Amino acid sequence: MKQLVIAIDGYSSCGKSTTAKAVAALLHYAYVDTGAMYRAVTLYLLENHITFDDLAGIEKALHDIHISFRRNRRTGRNELFLNGVNREDDIRQMRISNSVSEVSVIPMVRHAMVAQQQQMGRKRGVVMDGRDIGTTVFPDAEVKIFMTADVELRARRRQEELAAKGEIVPLEDIIENLRKRDHLDSTRAESPLRRAPDAVLLDTTHITITEQVDFVLDRASSALFAAGWD
């Protein structure tokens, strides 16, 4: 059976990653969390005291940044490794969330990450979630989903994720962060967050993760059937 590229784009904390991971596992596809890649770049710049307007420093840093994903056999999680070190938990910190949109608007950063993402998905059979998968990374993806949800609900989800890792953040701070990121992601000049014309809208405000996964799987089945691949 020919394999698909499934692109899941949308706003932060809509359930993109959870849904994408589950879909990838059920289809035995690779899963790539592209947002984690931008978080890794952000972490590297912060730890190496490279300011976001130091373009020469960022260009050099991009040559020194090596990102990979490895499946944790114990937890089943697909975890990010930065230069050979597991940094999955570090990139999820609020300080990274507060800066990642500023880093992701830098054209050279986006060009470098998009090139890596296209390389990861060149053989297809992949589920990618992010902001510009269906518009820039894989505009020819057979399945395109654009996810959204109420901002307060998104903030509560994010607050629970942070609390589970021992990071307590006021809900108001998270709402402010999400709104800032939404604005930066949607208005940046380079690969802005937008719904591709052929992407199906999925509002996750009032549905479960299981329903989200079923929604994507139904679209994948329809894509296979329409192309005569099933």
Side-chain angles (χ1 to χ4, degrees):
M1 181 186 294
K2 184 170 180 177
Q3 294 185 311
L4 308 172
V5 169
I6 299 176
I8 302 179
D9 291 310
Y11 298 98
S12 302
S13 300
C14 287
K16 295 191 308 296
S17 296
T18 303
T19 298
K21 289 174 189 175
V23 169
L26 290 166
L27 294 178
H28 302 289
Y29 278 17
Y31 164 65
V32 178
D33 178 356
T34 64
M37 298 173 70
Y38 291 101
R39 285 174 172 270
V41 174
T42 303
L43 177 66
Y44 185 93
L45 297 181
L46 289 174
E47 290 189 337
N48 288 275
H49 309 290
I50 301 170
T51 60
F52 302 158
D53 59 355
D54 179 5
L55 298 185
I58 292 171
E59 183 175 16
K60 180 180 183 302
L62 288 171
H63 290 291
D64 297 330
I65 292 173
H66 302 286
I67 297 170
S68 61
F69 292 93
R70 303 179 196 173
R71 185 175 181 276
N72 185 317
R73 293 181 181 178
R74 182 177 58 83
T75 64
R77 291 197 310 172
N78 206 39
E79 299 177 337
L80 180 137
F81 281 69
L82 173 60
N83 293 339
V85 179
N86 188 329
R87 306 302 302 271
E88 179 66 28
D89 290 336
D90 296 328
I91 64 170
R92 306 297 174 181
Q93 295 172 353
M94 194 65 188
R95 69 186 185 107
I96 305 301
S97 297
N98 285 333
S99 298
V100 64
S101 288
E102 295 178 60
V103 172
S104 64
V105 301
I106 301 169
M108 69 176 69
V109 173
R110 295 210 73 82
H111 294 163
M113 295 301 102
V114 167
Q116 288 192 35
Q117 292 154 16
Q118 291 173 332
Q119 179 68 12
M120 291 175 179
R122 72 189 187 283
K123 295 182 180 178
R124 311 190 85 75
V126 64
V127 182
M128 284 196 186
D129 72 85
R131 304 289 190 280
D132 61 348
I133 312 307
T135 55
T136 301
V137 183
F138 283 104
D140 63 340
E142 291 84 2
V143 177
K144 297 181 184 179
I145 309 292
F146 189 90
M147 293 175 65
T148 187
D150 175 76
V151 69
E152 184 170 335
L153 177 64
R154 292 161 53 202
R156 291 190 184 280
R157 289 173 177 169
R158 180 68 180 142
Q159 188 181 49
E160 291 172 2
E161 292 171 0
L162 291 168
K165 297 173 182 176
E167 190 172 358
I168 306 303
V169 182
L171 186 66
E172 294 75 16
D173 290 356
I174 300 176
I175 291 175
E176 182 181 355
N177 169 258
L178 289 176
R179 285 179 172 155
K180 175 186 174 184
R181 291 180 63 190
D182 290 349
H183 176 73
L184 288 172
D185 289 344
S186 300
T187 59
R188 67 188 178 218
E190 191 75 25
S191 301
L193 168 64
R194 61 182 175 86
R195 178 182 170 187
D198 53 345
V200 180
L201 183 66
L202 174 58
D203 189 327
T204 67
T205 304
H206 301 296
I207 65 174
T208 65
I209 292 295
T210 298
E211 290 171 324
Q212 293 170 205
V213 172
D214 287 343
F215 183 94
V216 178
L217 289 174
D218 285 345
R219 294 321 182 268
S221 295
S222 296
L224 288 169
F225 179 78
W229 295 340
D230 62 332

PDB file of all heavy atoms in Angstrom, residues 38-51:
ATOM      1  N   TYR A  38      11.802  23.615  16.611  1.00  0.00           N
ATOM      2  CA  TYR A  38      11.987  25.051  16.859  1.00  0.00           C
ATOM      3  C   TYR A  38      12.261  25.316  18.332  1.00  0.00           C
ATOM      4  O   TYR A  38      13.032  26.217  18.681  1.00  0.00           O
ATOM      5  CB  TYR A  38      10.766  25.832  16.377  1.00  0.00           C
ATOM      6  CG  TYR A  38      10.634  25.828  14.877  1.00  0.00           C
ATOM      7  CD1 TYR A  38       9.738  24.978  14.233  1.00  0.00           C
ATOM      8  CD2 TYR A  38      11.427  26.652  14.088  1.00  0.00           C
ATOM      9  CE1 TYR A  38       9.626  24.952  12.847  1.00  0.00           C
ATOM     10  CE2 TYR A  38      11.333  26.637  12.700  1.00  0.00           C
ATOM     11  CZ  TYR A  38      10.430  25.783  12.086  1.00  0.00           C
ATOM     12  OH  TYR A  38      10.344  25.757  10.718  1.00  0.00           O
ATOM     13  N   ARG A  39      11.645  24.531  19.194  1.00  0.00           N
ATOM     14  CA  ARG A  39      11.925  24.659  20.624  1.00  0.00           C
ATOM     15  C   ARG A  39      13.388  24.297  20.916  1.00  0.00           C
ATOM     16  O   ARG A  39      14.042  24.919  21.763  1.00  0.00           O
ATOM     17  CB  ARG A  39      10.986  23.758  21.432  1.00  0.00           C
ATOM     18  CG  ARG A  39       9.571  24.285  21.528  1.00  0.00           C
ATOM     19  CD  ARG A  39       8.634  23.290  22.217  1.00  0.00           C
ATOM     20  NE  ARG A  39       7.339  23.877  22.479  1.00  0.00           N
ATOM     21  CZ  ARG A  39       6.998  24.535  23.578  1.00  0.00           C
ATOM     22  NH1 ARG A  39       7.888  24.654  24.564  1.00  0.00           N
ATOM     23  NH2 ARG A  39       5.803  25.049  23.729  1.00  0.00           N
ATOM     24  N   ALA A  40      13.896  23.285  20.220  1.00  0.00           N
ATOM     25  CA  ALA A  40      15.289  22.877  20.423  1.00  0.00           C
ATOM     26  C   ALA A  40      16.259  23.978  19.997  1.00  0.00           C
ATOM     27  O   ALA A  40      17.259  24.244  20.678  1.00  0.00           O
ATOM     28  CB  ALA A  40      15.580  21.595  19.650  1.00  0.00           C
ATOM     29  N   VAL A  41      15.960  24.618  18.885  1.00  0.00           N
ATOM     30  CA  VAL A  41      16.802  25.736  18.445  1.00  0.00           C
ATOM     31  C   VAL A  41      16.756  26.856  19.479  1.00  0.00           C
ATOM     32  O   VAL A  41      17.788  27.439  19.836  1.00  0.00           O
ATOM     33  CB  VAL A  41      16.350  26.261  17.064  1.00  0.00           C
ATOM     34  CG1 VAL A  41      17.149  27.511  16.683  1.00  0.00           C
ATOM     35  CG2 VAL A  41      16.525  25.181  16.002  1.00  0.00           C
ATOM     36  N   THR A  42      15.571  27.147  19.977  1.00  0.00           N
ATOM     37  CA  THR A  42      15.405  28.184  20.997  1.00  0.00           C
ATOM     38  C   THR A  42      16.222  27.859  22.245  1.00  0.00           C
ATOM     39  O   THR A  42      16.919  28.725  22.797  1.00  0.00           O
ATOM     40  CB  THR A  42      13.917  28.332  21.365  1.00  0.00           C
ATOM     41  OG1 THR A  42      13.163  28.622  20.184  1.00  0.00           O
ATOM     42  CG2 THR A  42      13.718  29.443  22.386  1.00  0.00           C
ATOM     43  N   LEU A  43      16.136  26.609  22.692  1.00  0.00           N
ATOM     44  CA  LEU A  43      16.891  26.171  23.866  1.00  0.00           C
ATOM     45  C   LEU A  43      18.387  26.358  23.639  1.00  0.00           C
ATOM     46  O   LEU A  43      19.106  26.872  24.514  1.00  0.00           O
ATOM     47  CB  LEU A  43      16.575  24.708  24.164  1.00  0.00           C
ATOM     48  CG  LEU A  43      17.336  24.058  25.320  1.00  0.00           C
ATOM     49  CD1 LEU A  43      16.948  24.697  26.654  1.00  0.00           C
ATOM     50  CD2 LEU A  43      17.068  22.550  25.361  1.00  0.00           C
ATOM     51  N   TYR A  44      18.860  25.957  22.483  1.00  0.00           N
ATOM     52  CA  TYR A  44      20.289  26.069  22.184  1.00  0.00           C
ATOM     53  C   TYR A  44      20.733  27.532  22.211  1.00  0.00           C
ATOM     54  O   TYR A  44      21.785  27.867  22.791  1.00  0.00           O
ATOM     55  CB  TYR A  44      20.587  25.450  20.815  1.00  0.00           C
ATOM     56  CG  TYR A  44      22.059  25.422  20.471  1.00  0.00           C
ATOM     57  CD1 TYR A  44      22.836  24.303  20.760  1.00  0.00           C
ATOM     58  CD2 TYR A  44      22.680  26.511  19.855  1.00  0.00           C
ATOM     59  CE1 TYR A  44      24.196  24.277  20.460  1.00  0.00           C
ATOM     60  CE2 TYR A  44      24.028  26.500  19.549  1.00  0.00           C
ATOM     61  CZ  TYR A  44      24.783  25.377  19.854  1.00  0.00           C
ATOM     62  OH  TYR A  44      26.134  25.353  19.553  1.00  0.00           O
ATOM     63  N   LEU A  45      19.954  28.407  21.588  1.00  0.00           N
ATOM     64  CA  LEU A  45      20.327  29.822  21.556  1.00  0.00           C
ATOM     65  C   LEU A  45      20.353  30.419  22.957  1.00  0.00           C
ATOM     66  O   LEU A  45      21.285  31.158  23.308  1.00  0.00           O
ATOM     67  CB  LEU A  45      19.352  30.602  20.677  1.00  0.00           C
ATOM     68  CG  LEU A  45      19.308  30.227  19.183  1.00  0.00           C
ATOM     69  CD1 LEU A  45      18.310  31.109  18.447  1.00  0.00           C
ATOM     70  CD2 LEU A  45      20.681  30.322  18.540  1.00  0.00           C
ATOM     71  N   LEU A  46      19.354  30.096  23.765  1.00  0.00           N
ATOM     72  CA  LEU A  46      19.307  30.631  25.125  1.00  0.00           C
ATOM     73  C   LEU A  46      20.482  30.116  25.959  1.00  0.00           C
ATOM     74  O   LEU A  46      21.122  30.890  26.690  1.00  0.00           O
ATOM     75  CB  LEU A  46      17.986  30.255  25.786  1.00  0.00           C
ATOM     76  CG  LEU A  46      16.733  30.964  25.247  1.00  0.00           C
ATOM     77  CD1 LEU A  46      15.478  30.389  25.903  1.00  0.00           C
ATOM     78  CD2 LEU A  46      16.816  32.467  25.489  1.00  0.00           C
ATOM     79  N   GLU A  47      20.759  28.831  25.856  1.00  0.00           N
ATOM     80  CA  GLU A  47      21.833  28.254  26.664  1.00  0.00           C
ATOM     81  C   GLU A  47      23.214  28.738  26.239  1.00  0.00           C
ATOM     82  O   GLU A  47      24.141  28.738  27.055  1.00  0.00           O
ATOM     83  CB  GLU A  47      21.763  26.731  26.608  1.00  0.00           C
ATOM     84  CG  GLU A  47      20.561  26.155  27.350  1.00  0.00           C
ATOM     85  CD  GLU A  47      20.600  24.654  27.471  1.00  0.00           C
ATOM     86  OE1 GLU A  47      21.286  23.992  26.659  1.00  0.00           O
ATOM     87  OE2 GLU A  47      19.925  24.121  28.365  1.00  0.00           O
ATOM     88  N   ASN A  48      23.319  29.126  24.985  1.00  0.00           N
ATOM     89  CA  ASN A  48      24.614  29.595  24.484  1.00  0.00           C
ATOM     90  C   ASN A  48      24.672  31.122  24.384  1.00  0.00           C
ATOM     91  O   ASN A  48      25.602  31.664  23.777  1.00  0.00           O
ATOM     92  CB  ASN A  48      24.915  28.957  23.133  1.00  0.00           C
ATOM     93  CG  ASN A  48      25.266  27.485  23.267  1.00  0.00           C
ATOM     94  OD1 ASN A  48      26.408  27.130  23.527  1.00  0.00           O
ATOM     95  ND2 ASN A  48      24.269  26.620  23.113  1.00  0.00           N
ATOM     96  N   HIS A  49      23.684  31.780  24.994  1.00  0.00           N
ATOM     97  CA  HIS A  49      23.657  33.239  25.109  1.00  0.00           C
ATOM     98  C   HIS A  49      23.772  33.925  23.747  1.00  0.00           C
ATOM     99  O   HIS A  49      24.475  34.926  23.585  1.00  0.00           O
ATOM    100  CB  HIS A  49      24.783  33.725  26.039  1.00  0.00           C
ATOM    101  CG  HIS A  49      24.803  33.006  27.355  1.00  0.00           C
ATOM    102  ND1 HIS A  49      23.830  33.172  28.327  1.00  0.00           N
ATOM    103  CD2 HIS A  49      25.659  32.064  27.855  1.00  0.00           C
ATOM    104  CE1 HIS A  49      24.092  32.396  29.360  1.00  0.00           C
ATOM    105  NE2 HIS A  49      25.191  31.715  29.110  1.00  0.00           N
ATOM    106  N   ILE A  50      23.048  33.362  22.778  1.00  0.00           N
ATOM    107  CA  ILE A  50      22.998  33.953  21.436  1.00  0.00           C
ATOM    108  C   ILE A  50      21.686  34.714  21.329  1.00  0.00           C
ATOM    109  O   ILE A  50      20.609  34.123  21.436  1.00  0.00           O
ATOM    110  CB  ILE A  50      23.091  32.875  20.344  1.00  0.00           C
ATOM    111  CG1 ILE A  50      24.398  32.091  20.478  1.00  0.00           C
ATOM    112  CG2 ILE A  50      22.976  33.505  18.955  1.00  0.00           C
ATOM    113  CD1 ILE A  50      24.470  30.856  19.602  1.00  0.00           C
ATOM    114  N   THR A  51      21.760  36.021  21.159  1.00  0.00           N
ATOM    115  CA  THR A  51      20.547  36.823  21.083  1.00  0.00           C
ATOM    116  C   THR A  51      19.833  36.590  19.752  1.00  0.00           C
ATOM    117  O   THR A  51      20.458  36.224  18.751  1.00  0.00           O
ATOM    118  CB  THR A  51      20.868  38.317  21.241  1.00  0.00           C
ATOM    119  OG1 THR A  51      21.768  38.723  20.202  1.00  0.00           O
ATOM    120  CG2 THR A  51      21.505  38.591  22.607  1.00  0.00           C
TER     121      THR A  51
END
